[in-house]
């Protein structure tokens, strides 16, 4: 009977393929980079256009900002991911020491965690005993279910930095493209606004799709934020100039 149940379970698992999105951290980093990349250089270019700067000046300032922003954002992503990894290792060492020095206390914590899921003592007792015989599994259980920590990927910090930086550059170049081909800043800014708003709408739609939020709502929210930022920079430049 047991073999039959195992075979049945295998068949169910074979036919049932769960469609979970597994690249959450990469997408999160890309969203951070593209979002800031589209908004900050866009607002800078609009502000300089409001100050009647030439297209060449706006382009130079914009490219400098994209370079500096990519480095800054990438470094921030690296430090954040590295801090998470350091925190995980500290907690891992502490949990290892507790399992060795106070195993009964840690076993009681396992029982408490399982009880929170509605298991009775006679149900979770064998699980607790089984974990006590497998220290690594016990440690993994405590890290995940007691502390809520997932083991970070070894290259996570570097991947985060590169993803954010590249995404920032990709987003930041979009509002600057018109200034590369249109010498008159007044005309270039109008084209930049149109191109960037379209990019913000598409980006917002994609972000909403991947994060599970409403794509249409996300698209308009993202475009609205970019429009407000650029309008504020343009108006401030005009006010200062006046």
């Amino acid at each position: 009977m047991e073999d039959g149940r195992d075979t049945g379970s295998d068949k169910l698992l074979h036919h049932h393929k769960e469609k979970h999105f597994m690249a959450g951290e990469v997408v999160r980093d890309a969203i951070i980079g593209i979002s800031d990349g589209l908004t900050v250089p866009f607002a800078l270019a609009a502000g300089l256009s409001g100050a009647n700067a030439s297209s060449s000046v706006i382009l130079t300032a914009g490219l400098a900002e994209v370079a500096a922003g990519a480095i800054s954002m990438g470094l921030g992503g690296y430090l954040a991911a590295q801090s998470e990894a350091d925190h995980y290792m500290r907690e891992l060492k502490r949990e290892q020491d507790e399992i060795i020095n106070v195993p009964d206390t840690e076993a009681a914590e396992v029982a408490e965690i399982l009880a929170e899921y509605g298991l009775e003592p006679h149900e979770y007792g064998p699980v607790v005993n089984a974990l006590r015989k497998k220290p690594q599994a016990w440690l993994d259980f405590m890290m995940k279910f007691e502390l809520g920590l997932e083991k970070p990927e070894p290259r996570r910090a570097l991947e985060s930095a590169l993803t954010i930086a590249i995404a920032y550059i990709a987003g930041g170049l979009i509002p600057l493209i018109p200034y590369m081909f249109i010498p008159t800043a007044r005309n270039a800014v109008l084209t930049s606004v149109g191109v960037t708003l379209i990019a913000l709408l598409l980006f917002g739609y994609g972000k909403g799709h991947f994060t599970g939020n409403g794509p249409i709502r996300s698209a308009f929210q993202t475009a609205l934020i970019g429009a407000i930022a650029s309008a504020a920079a343009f108006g401030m430049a005009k006010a200062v100039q006046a």
Side-chain angles (χ1 to χ4, degrees), residues 100-114:
I100 294 171
N101 297 322
V102 286
D104 292 339
T105 301
E106 291 298 292
E109 290 177 355
V110 173
E112 183 179 356
I113 292 170
L114 294 175

Side-chain angles (χ1 to χ4, degrees), residues 9 15 34-35 41 93 115 120 142 154 163 166 170 197 208 242:
S9 299
H15 290 292
I34 295 176
S35 180
K93 180 63 168 62
E120 298 296 331
M142 299 304 288
T163 301
I166 292 172
L197 286 179

Side-chain angles (χ1 to χ4, degrees), residues 37-38 41 59 62-63 66 168-178 180:
L38 281 170
L59 180 59
L63 290 175
V66 168
Y168 190 94
I169 292 171
L173 290 177
I174 291 175
L176 300 179
I177 290 175
M180 299 178 183

Side-chain angles (χ1 to χ4, degrees), residues 27-39 167 171 174 195-211 214-215 218-223 225-226:
V27 171
R28 182 194 65 185
D29 291 338
I31 288 173
I32 292 172
I34 295 176
S35 180
D36 281 10
L38 281 170
T39 305
I174 291 175
V195 170
T196 307
L197 286 179
I198 292 173
L200 285 167
L201 285 169
L202 293 174
F203 167 67
Y205 186 92
K207 180 179 69 173
H209 173 73
F210 282 117
T211 58
S218 176
F220 282 102
Q221 283 181 337
T222 305
I225 292 172

Side-chain angles (χ1 to χ4, degrees), residues 25 81-82 84-85 88 150-159:
E25 292 181 335
Q82 190 61 51
E84 290 180 4
Y88 181 88
E150 295 283 352
K151 184 178 181 179
E153 294 293 330
R155 296 170 58 85
R156 171 68 191 137
L158 181 59
E159 289 176 353

Side-chain angles (χ1 to χ4, degrees), residues 72-235:
S72 176
M73 293 286 293
L75 181 60
Y78 180 89
L79 293 175
Q82 190 61 51
S83 295
E84 290 180 4
D86 292 343
H87 173 65
Y88 181 88
M89 294 308 298
R90 285 195 301 270
E91 292 301 322
L92 182 69
K93 180 63 168 62
R94 182 180 293 118
E95 201 64 40
Q96 283 178 324
D97 292 341
E98 290 177 351
I99 287 174
I100 294 171
N101 297 322
V102 286
D104 292 339
T105 301
E106 291 298 292
E109 290 177 355
V110 173
E112 183 179 356
I113 292 170
L114 294 175
E116 291 176 356
Y117 286 88
L119 275 68
E120 298 296 331
H122 69 276
E123 295 173 319
Y124 62 66
V127 178
V128 175
N129 293 331
L131 285 175
R132 295 190 69 158
K133 298 175 183 177
K134 300 178 180 179
Q136 185 58 52
W138 189 1
L139 179 61
D140 293 340
F141 180 93
M142 299 304 288
M143 292 298 293
K144 184 173 183 179
F145 291 98
E146 182 191 21
L147 302 178
L149 296 176
E150 295 283 352
K151 184 178 181 179
E153 294 293 330
R155 296 170 58 85
R156 171 68 191 137
L158 181 59
E159 289 176 353
S160 177
L162 291 176
T163 301
I164 293 175
I166 292 172
Y168 190 94
I169 292 171
L173 290 177
I174 291 175
L176 300 179
I177 290 175
Y179 296 95
M180 299 178 183
F181 303 102
I182 303 174
T184 305
R186 183 171 296 180
N187 296 331
V189 69
L190 296 176
T191 306
S192 177
V193 168
V195 170
T196 307
L197 286 179
I198 292 173
L200 285 167
L201 285 169
L202 293 174
F203 167 67
Y205 186 92
K207 180 179 69 173
H209 173 73
F210 282 117
T211 58
N213 298 323
I216 301 297
R217 180 181 179 183
S218 176
F220 282 102
Q221 283 181 337
T222 305
L224 180 62
I225 292 172
I228 292 173
S230 62
F234 185 87

